[in-house]
Amino acid sequence: MSKIEFSDFGKKLTGESGILQLMDDIGKPLPAGVKPYRLGGGNPARIPQVEKLYRERMEKILGHKDDFEKLIGLYDSPQGRVEFIECVAEYLSKTYGWKIGPENVAVTNGSQSAFFYIFNLLSGTFSDGKKSVKKTIVLPLVPEYIGYADQGIERGQFVGIPSTCQYESDRTFKYHVDFDALESYLKKHSNVGALCVSRPTNPTGNVLTDAEIKRLSKIARAFGVPLMIDNAYGLPWPDIIFTDDAAPYWDSNVILSMSLSKIGLPSLRTGIIVADKKIVKAIGNINAIAALASGSVGQAVAAPLIKSGTLIECAKKYVRPFYQKKSVATQKAIHELFAGTNYYVHKSEGSIFQWLLMPDLKISTMKFYSELKKRGVIVVPGEYFFFGSTADKSLPPVEEHPHYSKCLRLNYAGDDAETFGGLKIIAELYKKYS
């Protein structure tokens, strides 16, 4: 074969990345004889009541005429399955009063794909034939989701606003948006394409309050850009939010991303976007080129469950209590195992992660990750979640955040014994390297 060379686009997307390492750790087995402690990737837990609901729904599809054959044998439209889109729009508009219809809903092969589309629609190089400008996506609360970091086709598409931090006496802490720094940056830079936050925040489990979300939306509108909200762990499903001051939110300037992954259907890759119809049409057009259409199975399984409210009731009755109980138990274990060391854990307000801060760690968490992996413990090093330093030095480099190389993201959704066994090893090694 002749020498194969990749384009700049190809090199960027095929190089080393945090999300590649995360997904690789999920799928690849450890060496023979090494006991695994999987606290790394984003797999949700298997919740019996949720699985029972999906099994019953699949049995109905299989048992009703030729529904199964139609499901696997026909493409849906590039925008998504008509029945599913209608169910989502109807439920959200009736339940929350959002002024949306089917024209405001699009489906992608997972929300990861949706963000790739939208980030590159709203940032990168814009040309009008006479001049060009490079627009950016501003992330108001860094550390932020690892999966965004390498999604820009061009380099330098993200700007991260380093968070402020509040410590508590119970060894917990919480990040906050530095609104002054955010507004100052927006006033000085006219090349911003959108703001983007995850709620709950991946990796920290931080939940932006209703007041904070409304303030961000107001700021975005004032500067003429949309606010993107990643709702993968949020409301109304999968409802992995443990605070009382967070409600589902959408307005006409918001691009809301939802998913079926964290409510038990990760492999069916069903991402949902609620947005202005111009954004929705653009997503459908890109889907047609990049994928022809999105997968149908997740949409077919979930449509009647959303329409009837069953999915949301399942999230409220089973999913949220399940994770909240595991979160409390994991925090308790951390406090017991790390007692006597200098440590903090982010307030667990939602998601399926604990964000562990080890201020006295003498090696980077990238190196600490490698040492843990030798012991079978899979985690995600914190450095990957700090990205978006500005080229013009108008903001402090995110790498200078005091937590940059001192944190781990820990997934507590798995087996309790495996989780606690992994935490025990992390605590032992922290004591060794501090």
Side-chain angles (χ1 to χ4, degrees), residues 37 368 372 375-377 420-430:
Y37 300 91
F368 196 57
L372 287 169
R375 300 278 297 273
V377 181
F420 301 148
L423 289 173
K424 186 172 185 291
I425 295 171
I426 295 170
E428 290 170 357
L429 282 183
Y430 179 43

Side-chain angles (χ1 to χ4, degrees), residues 77-81 85-86 88-89 99-108 114 117-118 121-122 250-252 254-257 271-288 294:
S77 80
Q79 185 183 336
R81 193 176 183 85
I85 288 171
E86 289 176 346
V88 169
K99 295 179 180 179
I100 62 171
E103 69 276 10
N104 298 109
V105 180
V107 180
T108 60
Y117 296 168
I118 299 170
L121 279 169
L122 301 179
W250 184 84
D251 64 41
S252 60
V254 165
I255 300 171
L256 180 65
S257 170
I272 305 153
I273 293 296
V274 181
D276 181 272
K277 60 184 181 182
K278 184 175 180 180
I279 294 289
V280 166
K281 180 172 175 51
I283 290 171
N285 291 353
I286 298 173
N287 255 345
S294 298

